[in-house]
Amino acid sequence: MEAAILLVEDDGALREGLCELLAREGYQVQSAACAQEADALARANAFDLCLMDVGLPDGDGVSLCRRWRAQGRHFPILFLTALDEEIHVVRALDAGGSDYVAKPFRTMELLSRIRAQLRTHKGAQAASGALCVDFERLTASLGGESLFLTPTEFKLLSALMRSGGRVLTRAILLEALWDEGGRFVDDNTLSVHISRLREKIGAARIETVRGAGYRWVNLP
């Protein structure tokens, strides 16, 4: 059975076009024009992925994403937004978003991102070769052996694995590591955590993109 996708977009023409595109690709699609409709559909159906516009007439997609995550809904949420400034990307990812595509986007890129998220996110679990991560239980294993990861290392690993191969800037990762007590991880400490995580999962899985940030690399 093909994946079920929830499309949340208030632009009628774009919503209709995306529904047709996704249906042609074999996906089961249901759509909503506002947060209230989307919430009702999410309660009544099981979805494998959500395409979410950031700006909605009765709220915003980031708040809805945060609420769904708090309720235990773990399906990937790919944000569609014209707000491609870094602060909006940070808010979306920090709320539990899986990835984002800035409008106007290319059709093939969007479909590729969808396929990547569906491959990576299977319920609350993800795998990259011999590395397996359970985002709900906060556990990880490599080659069948349990890994001991600190809470900060697990947050870092989660952000990288959920990025869909996109480059994550140091600013985005630092924001993701801000803890509930308001303590902020500084830039030097981030480098230390990256180094320790590489030692535990394999250095080649985290690529340094000089002058930009880090990118997750799927390995066998």
Side-chain angles (χ1 to χ4, degrees):
M1 182 178 293
E2 290 294 342
I5 294 179
L6 172 60
L7 171 63
V8 188
E9 169 61 60
D10 64 330
D11 184 315
L14 178 58
R15 185 172 65 252
E16 182 177 351
L18 285 174
C19 282
E20 293 179 358
L21 170 68
L22 295 170
R24 285 200 305 270
E25 293 295 314
Y27 297 116
Q28 301 177 40
V29 188
Q30 294 193 58
S31 65
C34 64
Q36 184 176 3
E37 290 179 7
D39 204 24
L41 285 172
R43 288 196 303 269
N45 302 272
F47 291 102
D48 298 297
L49 180 141
C50 176
L51 294 179
M52 176 89 75
D53 191 14
V54 169
L56 297 171
D58 58 345
D60 68 89
V62 173
S63 297
L64 182 57
C65 172
R66 185 176 290 108
R67 185 161 73 248
W68 282 350
R69 293 307 192 223
Q71 294 169 351
R73 294 190 172 92
H74 297 292
F75 51 75
I77 297 177
L78 199 161
F79 281 100
L80 306 175
T81 177
L83 305 173
D84 58 351
E85 295 92 341
E86 190 168 73
I87 185 61
H88 296 293
V89 176
V90 168
R91 288 184 62 239
L93 295 177
D94 190 49
S98 308
D99 196 3
Y100 79 99
V101 180
K103 300 175 184 177
F105 48 79
R106 292 171 294 183
T107 298
M108 295 307 295
E109 178 185 7
L110 175 63
L111 292 174
S112 177
R113 296 281 185 82
I114 290 172
R115 288 192 295 270
Q117 290 298 326
L118 289 173
R119 284 195 304 268
T120 302
H121 296 261
K122 296 178 180 178
Q125 298 181 338
S128 176
L131 177 65
C132 297
V133 178
D134 190 316
F135 300 112
E136 187 171 0
R137 293 182 174 84
L138 306 181
T139 59
S141 63
L142 182 63
E145 297 292 328
S146 296
L147 290 173
F148 172 75
L149 300 178
T150 67
T152 299
E153 289 167 352
F154 193 89
K155 285 183 181 180
L156 188 57
L157 176 61
S158 298
L160 288 163
M161 288 192 74
R162 293 179 181 218
S163 66
R166 294 180 61 85
V167 175
L168 295 185
T169 66
R170 294 179 70 87
I172 287 176
L173 289 173
L174 286 168
E175 181 71 18
L177 297 180
W178 189 299
D179 72 15
E180 294 179 355
R183 293 180 294 273
F184 190 72
V185 175
D186 62 30
D187 196 64
N188 290 334
T189 307
L190 173 61
S191 297
V192 173
H193 286 303
I194 288 283
S195 177
R196 289 177 177 170
L197 184 58
R198 279 173 164 158
E199 290 176 0
K200 294 178 180 182
I201 67 172
R205 295 183 186 277
I206 304 175
E207 176 189 359
T208 298
V209 182
R210 197 167 299 280
Y214 300 95
R215 177 174 23 228
W216 181 256
V217 179
N218 281 316
L219 296 176

